[in-house]
Amino acid sequence: MTDWKNVTDAIDEYVASLGERSVLPGLSRDEVRALVASFDFARPMTENDAIARVLEGLRGGQVHTPHPRYFGLFNPATTMTSVAADALVAAFNPQLATHNHAPFAVECEAHLVRAFGERFGYSKDDADGTFACGGAEANHTAIAVAIARAFPEVAERGLRALDADPVIYVSGEAHHSLEKGARAAGLGTKAVRRVAVDRSLRMRMPALKEAIAKDRAARLRPFLVVATCGTTSAGAIDPLSEIADVAAKEKLWMHVDAAWGGFAALVPGLRDAVRGIERSDSITFDAHKSLSVPMGAGMFLTRHKGALSQAFGVHADYMPKDQSRDPYASSLQWSRRFIGLKVLLPLSVLGWEGIEQTLARFVALGARLKEKLSANGFVLKNDTPLPIACFVDGAREDGASGKYLDSAARDLAKNARAWISMTRIGPNGERVLRACITSFHTTESDVDALVDGLVAARARI
Ligand SMILES: Cc1ncc(COP(=O)(O)O)c(C=O)c1O
């Protein structure tokens, strides 16, 4: 019998002790390898022994993303309600390929898709979508759907059905999954135009229009523009309304990659920042980036019913004839777990209002972070209402060099138990430190400790 108490006690202990831990992995690479090698499948061990080794590995063998001082990539701390949801899904194991196999789960996801579509400004009657394992899959889905809409002949004959190459437009700061998606869709990465950005790292409209005109003159076939709402490095939000105008005029599918930044649509004070998203044809939104749920909760949303089945509907004798409500016919996946439950359960308990409160707190902590950085001689290099700061050290001559920034991030992890990353932004790939609020365990004093830690690092380096 599985000793569940042992498991839940370990989870409780992990969460309770998070703040006292180092944010970095405690085990060295060699220790991790030795621990993994101790799983000798020729010599079965007891379940408690195996779980104890797994716990040792999880405690010591990862960057602790739920840590209150993890100011890193978009990896949140998870609420226990969402963890419970994932455990229930694993135990009941509904198969979401078809409606008739798991009507409750399929209807829950459809309910969520409509609810989120509405929050982004789609009408309840139009909103459609599918859950995905993450933003990369959702972006790939967007490319597949946009191809199916623009070039229906490709479904059977592939890209050779076209007399000219299709083209996609994304900002210079867009996520790399769009290039991967273009590659996987058979378009190749050369089909992706990286449009120049302005000083705020937002797609430049004149550059977009010029690129489209140039491609049309070369008899290429522009079909998709992807706006990013919250870029990975700097949280920049492309000018969504203006991109919607261009997309309408040029008859392009407009996709918004709002994998992280889409949460702004759920915070009244930020809604202006994402105005225009409601005019998009489709949206990527990852609940696992901003809504404090476990990974693997991506969403592709669209306001065009039937668009997904145009891309993914297929027929085989062993599949149900009526595919209209079957997830497999509107998704890249066939067998699929009940992804939506880890979103539905916490949302049902907290309500939009509860979610909004947490997100508004993230935004307030982000504002405090930016203020404190500026007050302490750091120079902000990004411009976004979202809780993410890109900066260099203005109090040091070498404060923008990669070597210095790297040393600062390392010093911070060692001495202040805080994790931040280094990234590059803008057309010249300027190096910056990047700190983002992602954990609901983070408090004002953690933000202060981050800035104090950077100031202390400045003196040590
Ligand atoms: C803007 C953006 N889009 C897409 C993705 C990919 O999302 P996922 O990691 O869920 O596949 C990311 C990941 O950070 C992202 O920042």
Side-chain angles (χ1 to χ4, degrees):
M1 281 286 279
T2 298
D3 181 356
W4 277 105
K5 181 136 185 351
N6 179 26
V7 175
T8 55
D9 283 354
I11 293 174
D12 288 341
E13 189 275 332
Y14 176 65
V15 175
S17 64
L18 263 175
E20 290 129 46
R21 290 175 180 279
S22 163
V23 68
L24 294 176
L27 298 172
S28 68
R29 270 185 202 194
D30 285 347
E31 286 168 330
V32 167
R33 285 203 187 112
L35 180 59
V36 173
S38 79
F39 295 106
D40 178 353
F41 309 132
R43 293 167 202 270
M45 56 185 86
T46 65
E47 187 171 307
N48 273 349
D49 187 10
I51 289 176
R53 288 173 205 225
V54 166
L55 288 172
E56 188 187 342
L58 291 173
R59 287 187 189 118
Q62 67 177 54
V63 173
H64 293 285
T65 52
H67 197 288
R69 295 192 188 168
Y70 176 77
F71 297 96
L73 311 172
F74 306 133
N75 304 313
T78 51
T79 61
M80 277 310 126
T81 316
S82 63
V83 172
D86 240 9
L88 288 170
V89 168
F92 283 78
N93 208 23
Q95 162 61 291
L96 273 81
T98 60
H99 186 278
N100 68 11
H101 239 67
F104 174 71
V106 172
E107 294 287 345
C108 282
E109 289 198 347
H111 185 51
L112 284 164
V113 158
R114 282 192 297 271
F116 276 90
E118 266 192 286
R119 299 298 294 198
F120 285 112
Y122 291 167
S123 88
K124 192 173 190 166
D125 291 339
D126 295 338
D128 196 9
T130 181
F131 274 82
C133 62
E137 185 193 334
N139 282 344
H140 188 178
T141 299
I143 294 174
V145 167
I147 291 176
R149 296 289 280 201
F151 315 113
E153 62 274 34
V154 166
E156 275 191 15
R157 296 190 45 228
L159 294 172
R160 73 179 76 83
L162 304 181
D163 54 5
D165 291 346
V167 189
I168 302 174
Y169 303 87
V170 311
S171 104
E173 298 284 309
H175 194 257
H176 68 264
S177 56
L178 293 159
E179 259 119 13
K180 265 200 219 172
R183 206 185 280 175
L187 299 170
T189 47
K190 282 204 168 158
V192 182
R193 300 279 177 273
R194 287 216 162 239
V195 179
V197 294
D198 62 17
R199 289 166 66 90
S200 299
L201 306 171
R202 293 152 44 97
M203 193 191 281
R204 282 187 59 236
M205 286 306 95
L208 174 64
K209 289 176 196 166
E210 268 166 42
I212 296 172
K214 197 168 152 210
D215 287 332
R216 289 216 192 278
R219 301 200 169 283
L220 302 179
R221 300 186 67 179
F223 74 104
L224 167 65
V225 56
V226 181
T228 305
C229 174
T231 55
T232 313
S233 284
I237 302 175
D238 283 335
L240 303 176
S241 292
E242 291 169 58
I243 293 176
D245 289 340
V246 174
K249 181 162 175 275
E250 298 283 349
K251 298 198 170 29
L252 309 183
W253 184 274
M254 175 183 173
H255 179 70
V256 180
D257 179 358
W260 176 65
F263 79 81
L266 309 179
V267 184
L270 286 183
R271 260 185 222 132
D272 272 352
V274 295
R275 202 163 299 288
I277 198 168
E278 71 287 349
R279 292 173 61 199
S280 66
D281 296 293
S282 57
I283 297 170
T284 285
F285 178 64
D286 272 353
H288 68 235
K289 286 191 170 33
S290 56
L291 302 190
S292 308
V293 308
M295 283 190 216
M299 278 182 237
F300 170 85
L301 304 168
T302 176
R303 64 181 168 87
H304 300 281
K305 278 216 163 24
L308 276 163
S309 53
Q310 222 172 319
F312 300 113
V314 279
H315 290 280
D317 288 344
Y318 53 85
M319 294 184 202
K321 288 224 161 37
D322 174 17
Q323 304 181 336
S324 56
R325 289 179 302 164
D326 288 344
Y328 84 86
S330 55
S331 150
L332 278 164
Q333 305 185 17
W334 164 249
S335 292
R336 184 158 70 69
R337 71 186 273 131
F338 183 7
I339 298 173
L341 191 62
K342 57 189 155 200
V343 183
L344 181 126
L345 211 57
L347 184 53
S348 308
V349 174
L350 298 168
W352 292 117
E353 209 181 319
I355 299 263
E356 180 191 314
Q357 276 166 14
T358 305
L359 295 172
R361 225 186 111 246
F362 285 1
V363 175
L365 289 172
R368 182 185 183 94
L369 171 63
K370 290 175 199 175
E371 267 169 41
K372 289 220 139 216
L373 284 169
S374 300
N376 283 278
F378 297 94
V379 181
L380 289 172
K381 293 285 182 176
N382 65 332
D383 168 22
T384 176
L386 305 179
I388 182 168
C390 294
F391 56 96
V392 296
D393 191 345
R396 294 264 303 218
E397 220 160 81
D398 60 349
S401 76
K403 193 162 168 233
Y404 176 77
L405 298 174
D406 188 47
S407 306
R410 282 171 197 271
D411 184 288
L412 198 65
K414 189 164 160 232
N415 295 304
R417 288 186 285 119
W419 199 94
I420 61 175
S421 56
M422 207 165 81
T423 187
R424 289 174 181 269
I425 53 172
N428 301 321
E430 189 181 351
R431 286 169 195 266
V432 289
L433 288 173
R434 173 193 182 282
C436 179
I437 311 289
T438 62
S439 169
F440 62 85
H441 297 300
T442 300
T443 62
E444 293 185 347
S445 68
D446 293 309
V447 169
D448 296 353
L450 165 60
V451 181
D452 294 346
L454 284 163
V455 171
R458 175 191 284 157
R460 268 192 292 265
I461 296 169

